[in-house]
Amino acid sequence: MRKLGGVSTPHHKNTATSPVEEIPTPPEVRIPMSMHIGAPAKCIVKVGDAVQVGQLIGEAAGFVSSSIYASVSGKVKSVDETDAVTGYRSVSVTIASDGLQTPYEKLSPPDVHDLPSFLEAVRASGAVGLGGAGFPTVAKLTVKDAGKVDYIIVNGAECEPYITSDTRTMVEDKDYVWNSLKLLKKYLKPAHIVYAIEENKPEPIRLTRELAANVQPGEEPLAEVKVLPSLYPQGGEKMLIYNVTGRIVPEGKLPLDVGAMVINCSTLAIISRYIINGMPLVSRCITVDGSAVKNPKNLAAPIGTPVSALFDYCGLKKEVRKIIMGGPMMGTAIPNADMPILKNTNAVLAFAEAEALLPAETPCINCGQCIKHCPMGLMPSNLLTAYNLKKPENLAKYKANLCLECGCCAYSCPAKRPITQYMKLAKAMLRDYTAANANNSK
Ligand code: SF4
Ligand code: SF4
């Protein structure tokens, strides 16, 4: 197998052995109707409505969309457009909590007995890719020909520095994850299930191996546990597929085109929780860490909780100069701690000045480090030149569209060039160019 790029970053997994702590219910939550890939959910509540935990407040608006549920019990305080983490505006529902956390009275575990009822349960759970991607899980699992699923790969890589929310899920919710795997085996009938975990997570590896070994005489293990090197971005979908199966997802194709499906371990835990308890996705585990945080922890918090409530719980020891939602490599810097946590927020990092300052950029020395470390085999330095010269035809030639925005190029660049940020702009330029060409050829 050819070796893909990637970088060895410091792990900073400070909270890997910190059990998840539930934060006090916040006085109010702000829940955006758009916190997944695809169409925003359609808000079905209005100001003054009383809601309970797990009650539907946003209906999935299409196949690639996701339902959204109240994460606290109380009264709808406002329904308005607010700034979203993505930089776009989104309709959000603000709920003033009554502090009671009353579960919605109509909740009950779904009847799952065949593939359609399983998929319906996944849809109703509100599950999306909890590793950060936010893709609606039911859309991923709905395949025209179930026989095409050769490999189901559980993503337990969690390769970004600092983040340990998946690690804690693999420890504390291991049975929920395993139960979902049994259902996937039963209804999608993959030939192989591989549970992929990076080597820097000894406890999840040990526990998952125990589960895999717990079989009746003559029975095959449900899943193979595959321990992967700790190399960022090991958890990237295409990386994982290649490193587990040796198959390359061709340009413009999907994992299923090579018989593979990758699902995050925390997403699997949420699906099982819903099927067993009837409670959809209303809260999640978030790692809170960074140089400005006094007591880094893993917290369970209702969706829509303001980031400030997480900081109040963990305490701050230095002035916060930068807040990142997600990991330091692929996460998004947010403007303030009023922003709410979303379904796919796996971490909130707060950094003090020393870590927040960007180093001064110097000219390219043509060292080729960015090319060597790009996991997609791109030539970031050439792409940067094409962008600066405003040559979208060269961006197309050098395949800017394949960029994962993983940050390996910027991380490895000795000239400290913010290549990843430029790559985002380059991809936008290429999209405009491609759209204009398509319009001209009509
Ligand atoms: S951000 Fe894009 S160009 Fe840079 S290393 Fe990652 S995939 Fe390659
Ligand atoms: S790593 Fe930085 S300095 Fe080296 S070739 Fe790439 S852009 Fe230039």
Side-chain angles (χ1 to χ4, degrees), residues 181 261 306 325 381 411:
L181 288 184
M261 187 182 271
M325 236 179 213
S381 47
Y411 184 83

Side-chain angles (χ1 to χ4, degrees), residues 370 373-376 378 380 402-409 420 423:
C370 54
H373 291 285
C374 176
M376 293 305 291
L378 303 178
L402 294 182
C403 171
L404 306 171
E405 301 174 16
C406 67
C408 290
C409 48
T420 317
M423 289 305 302

